[in-house]
């Protein structure tokens, strides 16, 4: 059975209440059966990761199925060891404390020396060695063993027999390679340090399962299983966390986990469009200056892309910004525009012409059908999937431009400089702290110590220590502020938004600092949700089990950004409260005077102005 983190991975037991008519999902190569589709998908995703190890050969970084194939092939090779030598090898293995490589070499050396009936090797005849086969062991004489052999011709035809001494028999080739013996050792044992044979295997070959005297202070036997006395664990060391999340089981020392809150799924776009919505908005927010596109909120973008109007300024400016960038390249898009005698300036009146040229240029079938609708002036009537599909393609084209690549190279260089400065300041701060500490130790009477008595302040602190602490505090505060400034400068030069991490079931968590919310992407990328309050954030963190690798890493990232996430969520909450207040004021006024639609907070995207627009 393949290993996960050097540990056997238990398969799911078949459901007890399984009925012939039940709809189930079965893993082809493990025969595991699941009622729940999501559990089946999670298990398949786990098996497809390159985290598995072949138990017999020790090969790592395999998928589960590859590890199974590797075990089958390794088992076939192991079965090539002559059965007459298996028992000898098992005796050497039992309770050995040697490392795997040394144990394999020891077994190899012993097997090379051992001779048995039916063994084919070479015997001396005069000064030359010829192939032969041992027929029987004649007996010992003068401490030496003699063997009756039959000489073999080159085609292995049998010729006459002879009796030779053991010293006259040699083995020209190794019986087994080191790798095969290592596989044999792994397959035959259930633990190491010391190596212990499987109980049935030891019993089959009459090998004792009782530890030798020299090991009885280290291990003991409980119900036929070798137990480490110090660790009190059967055949394995204590679990060293973190481990694969799906292997983590409830334990008595677990903290009280909070219940994970259900994420909100209130989006104005279809669920299968949320990923593209976030991708396009994040790119526009991260590289707004490069695009000459004034930032806008995710809500405004979502509301604008959902409307049926055809000339919403936010949408027009977004498309125009991408199209202008592509035309600057003097590449295919530029020459296509020149060929069609397009005007040099993209405006509210002609942006759709350039957009149709772009769609026709990339030739994506799902999008090409939309050009007729756009040319008729009805862009707003396109499906949201098509609108976001067009913007996604614009992003893909933009990241391939030389302008974008130069900007990324510039950001990389600047981040490296900022990172080096930050590391240098951390080292300098540590050096100054050490020097200050040493200096304070070496100060004498002049600094507050006289005749074994130390002058103290009103709070009972040594005077010299008070001044040092004040100085350190002032320096520390200045350094802290400067480090925060450096970190902010690095964040301005974002290259790519990375997810915070994954939970036990591979759901991915995203935080976009310009929005504040934490978005959850389902493991199959078809369903999204979000948390929008500090209470939900705290509950999420309290639900993560840090014994698992993924959830520990996710918890660490959430802790790292906790203060900033909370600040953004508070700001978002205040903004929403203000919008509600304005909305209520609009409603009250509308009972007397007809309200202007643009004043409605939900229509804030209609007030968008691109302050970074190129002339």
């Amino acid at each position: 059975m393949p290993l996960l983190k050097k540990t056997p991975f238990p398969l799911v037991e078949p459901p007890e209440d399984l009925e012939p008519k039940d709809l189930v999902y079965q893993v082809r190569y493990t025969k595991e059966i699941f009622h729940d589709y999501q559990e089946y998908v999670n298990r398949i995703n786990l098996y497809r990761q390159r985290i598995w190890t072949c138990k017999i050969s020790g090969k790592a970084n395999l998928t589960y199925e590859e590890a199974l194939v590797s075990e089958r092939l390794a088992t076939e090779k192991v079965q090539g060891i002559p059965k007459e030598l298996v028992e000898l090898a098992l005796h050497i293995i039992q309770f050995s404390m040697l490392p795997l490589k040394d144990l394999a070499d020891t077994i190899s050396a012993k097997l090379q020396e051992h001779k048995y009936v039916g063994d084919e090797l070479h015997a001396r005849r005069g000064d030359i060695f010829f192939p032969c086969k041992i027929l029987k062991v004649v007996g010992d004489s003068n401490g030496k063993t003699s063997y009756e052999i039959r000489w073999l011709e080159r085609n292995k035809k049998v010729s006459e027999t002879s009796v030779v001494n053991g010293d006259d028999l040699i083995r020209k080739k190794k019986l087994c390679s080191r790798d095969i013996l290592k596989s044999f050792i792994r397959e035959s044992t259930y633990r190491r340090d010391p190596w212990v044979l499987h109980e049935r295997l030891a019993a089959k070959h009459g090998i004792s399962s009782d530890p030798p005297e020299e090991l009885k202070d280290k291990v003991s036997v409980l119900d036929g299983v070798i137990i480490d006395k110090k660790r009190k664990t059967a055949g394995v060391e204590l679990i060293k966390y973190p481990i694969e999340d799906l292997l983590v089981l409830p334990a008595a020392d677990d903290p009280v986990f909070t219940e994970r809150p259900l994420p909100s799924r209130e989006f104005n776009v279809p669920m299968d469009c949320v990923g593209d919505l976030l991708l396009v908005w994040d790119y526009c927010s991260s590289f707004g200056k490069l695009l000459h596109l004034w930032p806008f909120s995710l809500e405004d973008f979502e509301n604008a892309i959902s409307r049926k109007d055809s000339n919403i300024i936010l949408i027009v400016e977004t498309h125009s910004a991408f199209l202008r960038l592509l035309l600057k390249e003097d590449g295919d898009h530029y020459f296509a525009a020149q060929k069609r005698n397009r005007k040099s300036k993209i405006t509210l009146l002609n942006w759709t012409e350039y957009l149709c040229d772009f769609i026709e240029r990339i030739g994506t079938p799902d999008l090409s059908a939309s050009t007729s609708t756009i040319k008729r002036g009805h862009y707003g009537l396109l499906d949201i999937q098509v609108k976001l599909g067009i913007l996604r393609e614009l992003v893909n084209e933009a990241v391939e431009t030389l302008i974008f690549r130069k900007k990324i190279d510039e950001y990389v260089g600047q981040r490296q400089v900022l990172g080096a400065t930050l590391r240098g300041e951390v080292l300098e701060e540590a050096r100054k702290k050490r020097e200050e500490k040493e200096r304070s130790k070496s100060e004498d009477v002049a600094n507050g110590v006289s005749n074994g008595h130390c002058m103290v302040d009103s709070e009972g602190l040594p005077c010299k220590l008070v001044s040092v602490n004040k100085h350190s505090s002032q320096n520390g505060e200045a350094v802290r502020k400067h480090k925060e400034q450096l970190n902010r400068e690095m964040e301005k030069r974002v290259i790519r938004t990375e997810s915070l991490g994954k939970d036990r079931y591979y759901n991915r968590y995203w935080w976009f600092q310009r929005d504040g919310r934490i978005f959850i992407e389902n493991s199959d990328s078809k369903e999204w949700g979000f948390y929008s309050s500090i209470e939900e954030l705290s509950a999420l963190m309290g639900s993560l089990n840090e014994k698992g690798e993924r959830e520990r890493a996710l918890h660490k990232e959430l802790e790292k950004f906790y203060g900033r996430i909370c600040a953004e969520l508070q700001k978002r909450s205040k903004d929403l409260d203000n919008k509600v207040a304005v909305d209520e004021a609009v409603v009250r006024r509308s009972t007397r005077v007809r309200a202007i639609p643009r004043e409605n907070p939900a229509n804030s995207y209609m007030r968008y102005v691109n302050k970074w627009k190129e002339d």
Side-chain angles (χ1 to χ4, degrees), residues 466-593:
V466 171
S467 63
V468 169
N469 284 345
K470 285 182 179 178
H471 181 65
S472 299
S473 177
Q474 291 170 356
N475 283 346
E477 182 65 17
V479 170
R480 184 186 65 79
K481 288 183 177 179
H482 193 221
K483 284 164 65 176
E484 288 180 355
Q485 181 184 356
L486 289 173
N487 281 320
R488 285 195 296 270
E489 290 299 321
M490 289 184 71
E491 288 165 6
K492 289 178 184 177
R493 292 152 178 83
V494 63
I495 295 173
R496 178 184 176 186
T497 301
E498 299 286 349
S499 71
L500 292 168
K502 303 175 186 176
D503 63 17
R504 172 185 177 93
Y505 296 110
Y506 297 93
N507 299 314
R508 197 182 298 269
Y509 292 74
W510 299 85
W511 178 58
F512 304 96
Q513 58 180 336
R514 300 170 190 83
D515 179 79
R517 289 175 289 181
I518 294 177
F519 290 85
I520 304 97
E521 179 186 8
N522 193 268
S523 57
D524 60 6
S525 299
K526 291 181 180 178
E527 201 165 273
W528 288 81
F530 62 84
Y531 297 137
S532 58
S533 70
I534 296 175
E535 292 75 20
E536 289 175 319
L537 170 62
S538 299
L540 167 64
M541 294 179 68
S543 71
L544 299 173
N545 191 334
E546 294 189 69
K547 290 182 177 179
E549 293 169 327
R550 290 185 294 282
E551 296 206 345
R552 173 175 290 196
L554 175 58
H555 192 278
K556 184 178 179 181
E557 287 299 296
L558 288 170
E559 274 189 332
K560 177 181 175 181
F561 295 106
Y562 182 78
R564 292 174 53 198
I565 296 175
C566 288
E568 290 295 331
L569 289 175
Q570 285 178 332
K571 179 177 178 295
R572 176 183 173 79
S573 179
K574 288 180 180 178
D575 290 344
L576 289 175
D577 290 342
N578 291 336
K579 284 184 178 181
V580 170
V582 172
D583 193 22
E584 290 176 350
V586 170
V587 171
R588 287 195 300 271
R589 192 174 64 198
S590 68
T591 60
R592 303 186 301 273
V593 181

Side-chain angles (χ1 to χ4, degrees), residues 324-336:
R324 290 189 191 103
L325 180 69
L326 296 178
L327 291 175
K328 286 180 185 178
E329 276 289 286
D330 290 337
D332 293 343
H333 298 289
Y334 172 79
F335 291 117

